[in-house]
Amino acid sequence: MKEIDGRGFRMESLGIYIHIPFCIRKCLYCDFLSFPKGRAQQALYFDALEKEILLSATGCGKYEVQSVFFGGGTPTAVMPEAIVRIMKALFDNFSFKDDAEITIECNPGTADLDALKAYRNAGINRLSIGLQSAKDDELKRLGRIHDREMFEECYRNAIKAGFENINVDLMSALPGQTLTDWEDNLKYVCTLDPAPCHISAYSLIIEEGTPFYELYGEDNENKDIAVSVNMQDGSEYCQNPRLPLPDEDTERQMYHRTEEILSSYGYRRYEISNYSAKGKECIHNLRYWQGGDYLGLGLGASSLMKNERYHNTSDFERYIETLNGDFSIGEAEGKDGAISLSAENQRLLDIREDVEPLDEKARMEEFMFLGLRLTAGVSANEFRSRFGKEIGEIYGGVIEGLREKNLLEWDGDTIRLSAEGLDVSNYCMAEFLL
């Protein structure tokens, strides 16, 4: 993949995602692959993860790592030594750019000053803190384990530990949340001292299989009495009375006020839900949206390598047993009885699922609907370079149709969604499916 105006990535560059599936308690809205596990199970997991790193590195010799992202779950919910161990394994087995961006997600209440110093000393240089709300009542409704004071302690400690590149996550459209509540949350984060370099601001989505779906799913929309759900840790959550979600008009106002307020504090919107100070865009996430290669390591982690998508198994026992287990009798052996490299690499294939080679059609679709998430848009010249075709030849009708509706702009080489188009981005992106 060639460099584009300083925004793209060379074919030899690589992003690595590390999935840490453990958490102290699953939040009410969360549908991510995460769960509480004891120290013994965590130890087995990190043994397997280190093994996957060693095996995966053998096929990545031509790559230079530009970004690493520890996500979860809550990566900071495990012992810091486990993360330090994984960082060492990465540095020992992959080639890194000198200025590689290395991010770890952190929830307040899961990392003290010593832990944050350990992460920083291990080479992690970017922290993403999951605040979600600056109001304790809203945090409680989400099932978060922290309050505002715990966030402020975490933020202060992060600065003391040497983190200069910090993202803060905020979530809108929460139960009982008003427009003023959301505006207060935005202003609170913007006035932190020092201010964060990056803010991710997105709205709550009610996902099936979560406690919130029991409270707010389609079958429960008209409930106005006290409701309760069983939490993963065996406790019961009760909301009395059941607080309504913001209506559609209020949610739309929240969406528009987000950019208005953040831009007034100097943050530039560079992606649908992401804002940053100049030059502090998240390099790892840009890779996803611009189609760069990335390697997912850990339970359920997804990868895009050499125009092929796949993800690891989400079965904890299968992941552990495949990577940690002994080879069965009859597996290929090399000289002197040593297990052959091909037999070792078979372990990687055995944890992969839904392997999908991307044909040209799929790659063109992804180039458009992922790239249009960025306010910078996509490049017609880059489209020609990648696919040997003019973008108008493939998408001319779609582009003109969206332009006529004032949803899309084409300015020289750049095609981007308009302000109105960003408001209905899902509709616009769906138009580029061939």
Side-chain angles (χ1 to χ4, degrees):
M1 185 173 177
K2 298 180 180 178
E3 190 80 7
I4 318 166
D5 300 330
R7 299 173 296 163
F9 299 92
R10 293 176 293 110
M11 282 293 292
E12 295 81 7
S13 70
L14 180 68
I16 296 177
Y17 174 79
I18 307 283
H19 190 67
I20 309 298
F22 309 113
C23 57
I24 294 175
R25 184 181 70 190
K26 203 173 181 75
C27 298
L28 294 166
Y29 57 87
C30 179
D31 72 332
F32 295 149
L33 179 58
S34 61
F35 36 73
K37 290 284 185 182
R39 296 295 183 204
Q41 291 167 308
Q42 291 181 15
L44 291 173
Y45 181 77
F46 284 102
D47 287 345
L49 180 57
E50 185 173 29
K51 181 75 171 181
E52 187 185 4
I53 290 171
L54 299 178
L55 294 177
S56 298
T58 62
C60 294
K62 74 170 186 175
Y63 287 101
E64 185 178 44
V65 177
Q66 188 171 33
S67 66
V68 176
F69 196 102
F70 286 85
T74 305
T76 51
V78 303
M79 295 296 289
E81 293 80 5
I83 301 298
V84 172
R85 170 188 173 186
I86 296 305
M87 284 294 300
K88 184 178 186 305
L90 291 171
F91 281 134
D92 286 348
N93 292 280
F94 288 89
S95 297
F96 275 74
K97 291 192 66 174
D98 291 339
D99 61 349
E101 173 196 272
I102 306 177
T103 303
I104 187 167
E105 290 183 334
C106 172
N107 278 344
T110 64
D112 59 17
L113 178 57
D114 288 341
L116 291 166
K117 285 181 177 179
Y119 302 140
R120 189 68 192 89
N121 291 335
I124 296 172
N125 52 29
R126 185 174 183 271
L127 195 67
S128 182
I129 305 178
L131 171 59
Q132 312 309 353
S133 172
K135 298 180 181 295
D136 288 348
D137 57 343
E138 292 181 349
L139 290 170
K140 186 176 182 180
R141 290 174 214 149
L142 290 173
R144 303 290 287 178
I145 65 169
H146 71 273
D147 56 23
R148 175 166 158 167
E149 182 178 351
M150 294 168 69
F151 164 76
E152 291 176 349
E153 180 182 12
C154 180
Y155 195 83
R156 287 193 301 269
N157 285 338
I159 301 299
K160 290 178 184 177
F163 284 97
E164 297 178 352
N165 192 355
I166 299 177
N167 168 68
V168 176
D169 281 351
L170 283 174
M171 185 180 291
S172 63
L174 308 183
Q177 188 179 57
T178 67
L179 176 60
T180 300
D181 291 333
W182 175 238
E183 292 172 336
D184 289 344
N185 285 337
L186 291 168
K187 293 172 184 177
Y188 167 80
V189 172
C190 290
T191 53
L192 290 168
D193 185 20
C197 299
H198 190 285
I199 297 173
S200 295
Y202 46 91
S203 63
L204 171 67
I205 298 175
I206 307 299
E207 302 283 4
E208 288 192 49
T210 66
F212 260 18
Y213 191 79
E214 293 185 45
L215 295 173
Y216 295 104
E218 294 179 1
D219 294 337
N220 298 317
E221 287 183 349
N222 297 319
K223 281 188 177 179
D224 57 3
I225 58 174
V227 287
S228 62
V229 294
N230 293 321
M231 300 290 287
Q232 190 180 51
D233 61 4
S235 63
E236 185 178 67
Y237 171 84
C238 181
Q239 198 177 106
N240 184 12
R242 176 184 177 275
L243 296 173
L245 297 173
D247 59 34
E248 188 175 327
D249 288 341
T250 301
E251 189 169 355
R252 186 179 300 110
Q253 288 179 296
M254 290 176 173
Y255 178 82
H256 290 141
R257 286 295 286 153
T258 300
E259 183 169 16
E260 291 171 3
I261 290 173
L262 293 184
S263 64
S264 73
Y265 283 92
Y267 292 94
R268 183 182 73 88
R269 185 186 195 184
Y270 71 96
E271 191 270 341
I272 289 174
S273 301
N274 287 277
Y275 300 77
S276 75
K278 185 176 181 180
K280 294 299 183 179
E281 299 85 356
C282 179
I283 293 172
H284 189 79
N285 286 342
L286 283 174
R287 173 172 298 280
Y288 292 150
W289 300 317
Q290 293 180 335
D293 283 352
Y294 58 89
L295 178 65
L297 302 170
L299 191 71
S302 296
S303 300
L304 172 62
M305 297 291 289
K306 302 174 184 176
N307 293 321
E308 185 175 79
R309 286 195 182 278
Y310 57 88
H311 65 82
N312 287 348
T313 179
S314 298
D315 185 318
F316 186 83
E317 284 72 24
R318 176 183 165 193
Y319 180 82
I320 298 298
E321 292 172 2
T322 301
L323 290 168
N324 289 346
D326 294 330
F327 281 92
S328 60
I329 297 174
E331 286 193 277
E333 292 186 349
K335 294 182 179 180
D336 302 322
I339 299 297
S340 71
L341 183 62
S342 61
E344 280 277 82
N345 285 340
Q346 183 62 40
R347 294 178 185 250
L348 293 179
L349 299 180
D350 288 344
I351 63 171
R352 290 180 186 172
E353 297 178 349
D354 298 329
V355 178
E356 178 190 5
L358 299 181
D359 58 17
E360 184 180 73
K361 170 179 170 291
R363 287 186 286 117
M364 287 191 295
E365 289 175 341
E366 292 198 357
F367 178 88
M368 297 303 296
F369 68 70
L370 291 177
L372 287 173
R373 291 187 61 91
L374 299 170
T375 58
V378 299
S379 162
N381 288 334
E382 174 63 12
F383 188 93
R384 183 188 310 115
S385 175
R386 289 196 194 189
F387 306 113
K389 299 174 183 178
E390 296 296 330
I391 198 167
E393 174 188 344
I394 306 299
Y395 287 114
V398 173
I399 291 171
E400 285 307 309
L402 292 175
R403 288 179 74 183
E404 289 175 3
K405 297 176 182 177
N406 296 319
L407 300 177
L408 187 138
E409 302 167 351
W410 190 344
D411 181 15
D413 177 51
T414 302
I415 300 169
R416 65 172 69 88
L417 295 182
S418 65
E420 294 86 350
L422 288 170
D423 286 350
V424 290
S425 58
N426 288 340
Y427 162 77
C428 294
M429 293 169 189
E431 292 294 289
F432 289 92
L433 298 176
L434 296 172

